[in-house]
Amino acid sequence: MGRAARMDRRQRRDRTVDRLRTGSGNGGRVGVTYKYFGAPDGATAARVPISMRPEELGGDELGMGGMFTKIKPETMAAMVLTGIEGVPLHKVPPLELVVLHPDYAVVKLPMTVVDPLRGIGEEAVGAAAFIWSTVPDRGGPRDAFNVYQLLHEWQDFSHRLHEAGHQPYCLVWP
């Protein structure tokens, strides 16, 4: 292989690395998908098969009413607790790791992340979206309308979880 070909390949690799570091906005992880679902317990949530892709997920164990998003579970927790409950960002509780596999992970979100949404109205959702859009130094959507739409989806999800008697979990895979 000639010197010019090696230089060209190295330049392409360097551009790719730079794009992954700065352009993705998610710490270099490209294409990470989050599937929020309900399960009665951690053992049920842990039985998520590694071969399933987003379009194949479904069924009772994975909560037919689940939710796909590119928003990390830590951000979802912070969005609800900061915007609705007024919890300072640094006091948002950690997530519980249920399964850590080389191909995926399953985490359990605290019920405090879904419960506050069940009893609030339209104005409170709008206020929470505005509050979250003004919080400095945080990840996730910044536009208040996008946050508002996401919180509405999360509100519907919290109602479905409550009706099923399930806890909130998140399947994370690249």
Side-chain angles (χ1 to χ4, degrees):
M1 179 181 284
R3 182 176 179 186
R6 281 194 303 270
M7 288 296 289
D8 186 48
R9 189 172 58 194
R10 186 177 306 137
Q11 287 172 339
R12 281 195 315 261
R13 184 188 67 221
D14 291 346
R15 279 194 306 267
T16 301
V17 168
D18 287 342
R19 189 180 74 246
L20 292 176
R21 279 191 191 134
T22 60
S24 68
N26 64 1
R29 293 173 294 160
V30 174
V32 176
T33 303
Y34 304 97
K35 162 70 175 179
Y36 294 92
F37 64 96
D41 54 49
T44 304
R47 290 195 300 262
V48 177
I50 64 170
S51 63
M52 289 193 141
R53 302 311 298 164
E55 60 276 2
E56 297 168 340
L57 290 173
D60 293 314
E61 286 182 1
L62 295 176
M64 285 299 284
M67 196 174 117
F68 288 104
T69 182
K70 294 288 185 180
I71 308 297
K72 295 188 291 189
E74 301 88 18
T75 303
M76 286 303 305
M79 204 178 298
V80 170
L81 295 175
T82 302
I84 295 171
E85 297 291 293
V87 174
L89 205 49
H90 69 280
K91 297 262 187 188
V92 173
L95 306 177
E96 178 184 325
L97 183 64
V98 176
V99 175
L100 180 59
H101 186 277
D103 296 325
Y104 68 96
V106 175
V107 295
K108 178 182 177 188
L109 287 81
M111 287 304 289
T112 56
V113 174
V114 291
D115 284 346
L117 288 164
R118 284 199 324 271
I120 65 171
E122 200 66 31
E123 294 83 19
V125 173
F130 176 76
I131 290 167
W132 180 255
S133 72
T134 63
V135 172
D137 300 327
R138 47 88 179 120
R142 299 185 192 292
D143 180 76
F145 184 71
N146 290 340
V147 175
Y148 175 80
Q149 289 177 314
L150 187 61
L151 286 174
H152 261 295
E153 287 178 45
W154 197 248
Q155 190 176 37
D156 292 342
F157 180 59
S158 72
H159 284 291
R160 292 190 306 268
L161 283 176
H162 182 72
E163 290 167 6
H166 286 178
Q167 308 242 344
Y169 292 89
C170 183
L171 169 63
V172 181
W173 72 95

